[in-house]
Amino acid sequence: MSIEVRQLSKRFGDFVALDQVDLRVDDGELLALLGPSGCGKTTLLRMIAGLDRPDAGQILFAGQDATTRHVSERQVGFVFQHYALFRHMTVFDNVAFGLSVKPRATRPGKAEIRDRVMSLLKLVQLDWLAGAYPAQLSGGQRQRVALARSLAVEPKVLLLDEPFGALDAKVRKDLRRWLRDLHDQIHLTSVFVTHDQEEALEVSDRVVVMNHGRIEQVGAPDDIYENPASPFVTHFLGDVNLFHGRVEAGSLTIGPFAHAVHGLDDAERAVAYVRPHDLDITWVADGALAQGRVAHIHAVGPLVRLELQRDDGAAIEVALPKERYRELGITPGDVVYVKPRKLAVFPGGADYAI
Amino acid sequence: MSLFNRQYSMLPGFGLAFGVSLFWLGLIVILPFAALIVSTAGMGFTAFAHTLADSRVLASIRLSFASSFYAALINAAFGLLVAWVLVRYPFPGRRLFDAMIDLPFALPTAVAGIALTSLYAPSGLIGQWLDPLGVKVAFAPLGIVVALTFIGLPFVVRTVEPVLQGLERELEEAASCLGASRWQIVFRVVLPALLPSLLTGVALAFARGAGEYGSVIFIAGNIPRVSEIAPLIIVAKLDQYDLHGATAVAVVMLGISFICLLLINGLQWRVARRQGAGR
């Protein structure tokens, strides 16, 4: 089922949680809402679920207005960050809950409930824990039970609020891969909220980057990563170096350095954003963005991380392939130049702080 | 092999702390009870049986436990409601409301007794309306239930409150997403989660009620076999220098209270074991 959000707004006192947000989630898609805390992503998710009411705007499920529909009638599965399992019920009873609260006329029989619950528990690979209580499970297991529970009522939409936020790194990685596989199996329209860009980029079909109650950019993960539409998105998707300068006659000028850029209008102030692995180091100033003194070298792993210090004290981070690093023969204290292989230039001088 | 399965701790001193606790429990709790039992044992079984066979004594014991049972039940319902309102709804004057819950704890019980009596006496503010209806509260067993309800309220509210505070709203939201109605959420999600603490609060209110003296004697009217509570019988026997008779009644009360508390604790343990295992 597709979801459409039109001009959705919500304020909490003076705080604007959502500011006229428009969004479309296609049928069968796995969409990530990505942003820093307080950006409105969870509020948006909760409104789609019907757990919060918008101040203005509309929510449509499969083209039908569902804005005022009660949570229990929206047929959404919701997975909470802290699982929200019923502690006094076994895993089995937790998963069966949604079926057992149905009105008698539509409630499946005992045997049918049993079959459905057990097949769901098999799907989340926890059928062997049917008789356990939530307190006896690990975090990852609890979240899988929560997922099975939300799937039991055959929702038309699955909503996940930071589903892996409370888990440790290893479990988190396993679970998100597993979620992706699960989605490929059942093709349920799903929206999940996260503040972890890696998670969003790895799992989803499309990513929605949000900030201050607005959508900054919507797109496929690689598209967003390669072509960020704003300084905020650039910043949020990973480490980035900033170079302040101006655009003049097709080149970006930073102090004594000039780097050719194409298709940009002249601008008095501009900021170039370059990811550490998009920077190369050279011994010559031609086409460089800046110079710096090598302060630290971390040579563990396939990428060598170098920290350069500019004259004004600012740091530049560079990630070089090992071969390139060996070829250059850099040692700490050397003064080198950095040259971008790829950069994003945004006019205007404002630093984008997160 | 260690009896207590001790673990390494930042704060050592288990042996000393355990020893002192045991000694303290013995001195403050067990020793008086033991003295009571020893003193009763001195009177011989015939005298003991004779004291208890008195219909006035039996009626008083029955009244004490029955009225505190009803009061505890009333407190279970309304204490839960009060705790719910206090935790869930922000409203002006909540702090004042919250502070008032503790009044029955803090007030001298005699003050409560006098206040309730003046309210519920046939000429009192509430009593004057109930009297024509034939409802007698003051100087009747019903008055005892009223006094014990007053006394027991904070026990239920204060034990349920913290648990309710810790109960995530997400549980209700999750249940709602799964299609549960409001009643289903209350009876299948919220109440079961509160049950262990509610049982504790009710047990405390019940135990306190069974032993309550000060507030009850004013409102009860103390009519033998009708509205005379067991603690009053004990005091009356002491007044007549019948120490053995007093301790005999006391021992029976102790026994019944102990059994009631054990039962409630057992129930509570069963409920809690399912929910909290390993937490």
Side-chain angles (χ1 to χ4, degrees):
Chain A
M1 189 171 72
S2 69
I3 308 168
E4 206 176 328
V5 169
R6 284 187 193 157
Q7 292 289 301
L8 209 64
S9 294
K10 177 76 179 178
R11 303 169 72 97
F12 295 107
D14 283 339
F15 178 73
V16 180
L18 285 179
D19 189 6
Q20 303 185 338
V21 169
D22 286 296
L23 180 66
R24 194 185 152 75
V25 189
D26 294 324
D27 190 27
E29 172 175 50
L30 176 53
L31 186 93
L33 296 177
L34 174 68
S37 56
C39 73
K41 56 191 191 299
T42 295
T43 307
L44 179 56
L45 192 78
R46 289 175 58 87
M47 286 192 186
I48 295 173
L51 295 171
D52 276 328
R53 286 283 150 106
D55 295 336
Q58 267 188 314
I59 295 163
L60 288 84
F61 281 177
Q64 299 210 322
D65 190 358
T67 317
T68 55
R69 216 182 279 171
H70 189 260
V71 203
S72 54
E73 290 155 9
R74 289 199 189 197
Q75 294 190 286
V76 294
F78 202 100
V79 175
F80 295 86
Q81 180 176 4
H82 298 288
Y83 331 120
L85 291 178
F86 307 129
R87 281 191 281 273
H88 59 282
M89 295 182 201
T90 59
V91 165
F92 182 93
D93 290 337
N94 263 283
V95 178
F97 184 84
L99 297 172
S100 68
V101 294
K102 285 189 182 225
R104 193 157 295 162
T106 56
R107 194 192 306 154
K110 274 228 161 93
E112 198 188 332
I113 290 184
R114 217 195 122 69
D115 290 348
R116 286 250 292 267
V117 171
M118 288 317 286
S119 73
L120 274 166
L121 284 176
K122 271 202 190 83
L123 182 71
V124 299
Q125 299 151 17
L126 286 175
D127 45 327
W128 54 288
L129 279 174
Y133 283 91
Q136 298 163 318
L137 308 186
S138 72
Q141 291 170 336
R142 284 183 209 180
Q143 198 56 294
R144 280 187 281 160
V145 173
L147 194 65
R149 181 179 68 175
S150 66
L151 293 175
V153 288
E154 294 177 337
K156 300 278 186 288
V157 174
L158 183 62
L159 306 172
L160 307 102
D161 184 12
E162 305 242 3
F164 315 128
L167 305 170
D168 51 47
K170 173 83 175 78
V171 180
R172 204 150 140 174
K173 269 207 156 136
D174 290 349
L175 262 189
R176 71 191 191 212
R177 218 158 284 153
W178 177 84
L179 176 70
R180 181 67 239 186
D181 292 346
L182 184 77
H183 184 264
D184 292 343
Q185 275 178 53
I186 61 179
H187 288 294
L188 186 60
T189 309
S190 308
V191 181
F192 82 101
V193 157
T194 179
H195 62 264
D196 180 345
Q197 80 280 3
E198 216 183 301
E199 193 170 292
L201 297 176
E202 188 184 311
V203 175
S204 59
D205 296 323
R206 281 198 305 155
V207 179
V208 176
V209 185
M210 293 184 69
N211 190 32
H212 293 314
R214 288 174 166 278
I215 291 179
E216 292 267 335
Q217 190 173 3
V218 183
D222 58 334
D223 182 37
I224 285 207
Y225 190 79
E226 294 300 330
N227 307 303
S230 68
F232 171 80
V233 177
T234 319
H235 249 297
F236 198 73
L237 290 188
D239 293 339
V240 72
N241 294 295
L242 268 61
F243 300 93
H244 296 264
R246 60 180 193 277
V247 181
E248 233 175 26
S251 75
L252 175 71
T253 314
I254 301 165
F257 301 98
H259 180 84
V261 286
H262 304 290
L264 281 177
D265 294 336
D266 285 8
E268 227 0 81
R269 290 151 71 80
V271 187
Y273 294 79
V274 192
R275 304 225 180 269
H277 60 260
D278 287 332
L279 276 177
D280 190 19
I281 284 182
T282 64
W283 295 105
V284 289
D286 188 37
L289 288 177
Q291 69 170 28
R293 181 181 300 278
V294 179
H296 297 287
I297 300 175
H298 312 280
V300 179
L303 284 178
V304 178
R305 299 196 156 273
L306 298 108
E307 202 181 305
L308 312 184
Q309 198 155 27
R310 295 166 80 165
D311 295 340
D312 60 1
I316 305 173
E317 270 188 60
V318 184
L320 286 181
K322 215 153 213 166
E323 307 85 67
R324 176 69 182 147
Y325 166 73
R326 291 215 185 91
E327 192 183 305
L328 284 163
I330 310 167
T331 53
D334 289 348
V335 175
V336 295
Y337 301 95
V338 290
K339 200 173 155 181
R341 277 187 289 265
K342 185 171 176 302
L343 79 174
V345 180
F346 296 102
D351 243 353
Y352 213 103
I354 293 180
Chain B
M1 199 194 93
S2 168
L3 183 59
F4 299 106
N5 194 14
R6 259 186 272 167
Q7 284 180 339
Y8 178 73
S9 156
M10 284 308 114
L11 294 174
F14 170 76
L16 184 65
F18 187 71
V20 172
S21 319
L22 214 56
F23 169 74
W24 192 247
L25 188 71
L27 183 72
I28 298 296
V29 180
I30 297 173
L31 191 64
F33 285 164
L36 188 68
I37 291 166
V38 168
S39 162
T40 315
M43 72 193 286
F45 184 74
T46 348
F48 181 74
H50 182 71
T51 309
L52 291 180
D54 182 355
S55 67
R56 196 173 152 188
V57 172
L58 282 177
S60 75
I61 291 174
R62 200 180 306 132
L63 178 68
S64 269
F65 284 104
S67 50
S68 54
F69 176 76
Y70 291 126
L73 276 191
I74 294 170
N75 275 325
F78 287 92
L80 186 65
L81 185 71
V82 169
W84 180 266
V85 169
L86 272 177
V87 171
R88 281 305 170 87
Y89 306 112
F91 56 89
R94 179 161 72 162
R95 282 174 172 271
L96 191 71
F97 190 87
D98 194 43
M100 287 201 311
I101 304 294
D102 287 328
L103 269 184
F105 268 149
L107 217 59
T109 50
V111 177
I114 292 167
L116 288 173
T117 311
S118 65
L119 262 186
Y120 286 100
S123 58
L125 202 59
I126 298 178
Q128 62 179 325
W129 300 106
L130 294 176
D131 201 46
L133 300 173
V135 180
K136 216 165 137 49
V137 179
F139 317 125
L142 192 55
I144 303 175
V145 176
V146 169
L148 296 184
T149 306
F150 173 84
I151 293 297
L153 177 71
F155 289 95
V156 176
V157 177
R158 291 295 180 235
T159 44
V160 172
E161 213 180 350
V163 180
L164 198 52
Q165 264 160 356
L167 193 73
E168 312 102 299
R169 268 166 201 247
E170 288 179 353
L171 292 178
E172 293 149 49
E173 292 176 348
S176 196
C177 284
L178 292 168
S181 69
R182 286 175 190 166
W183 287 110
Q184 285 170 326
I185 294 175
V186 169
F187 285 102
R188 299 197 46 186
V189 175
V190 177
L191 278 185
L194 295 179
L195 195 60
S197 64
L198 188 63
L199 279 175
T200 309
V202 168
L204 287 172
F206 173 77
R208 177 73 167 79
E212 176 58 18
Y213 177 75
S215 60
V216 175
I217 50 163
F218 291 98
I219 199 169
N222 309 325
I223 306 155
R225 295 185 188 84
V226 176
S227 61
E228 194 178 38
I229 54 168
L232 184 69
I233 294 272
I234 297 174
V235 173
K237 285 197 185 298
L238 282 176
D239 277 347
Q240 293 154 15
Y241 303 103
D242 180 9
L243 181 63
H244 282 316
T247 54
V249 180
V251 162
V252 172
M253 289 211 59
L254 178 68
I256 298 175
S257 289
F258 195 61
I259 290 166
C260 289
L261 285 180
L262 271 187
L263 283 178
I264 296 174
N265 265 331
L267 191 63
Q268 195 196 335
W269 180 76
R270 270 184 48 176
V271 175
R273 187 183 50 153
R274 293 198 320 196
Q275 298 185 20
R279 252 186 177 239

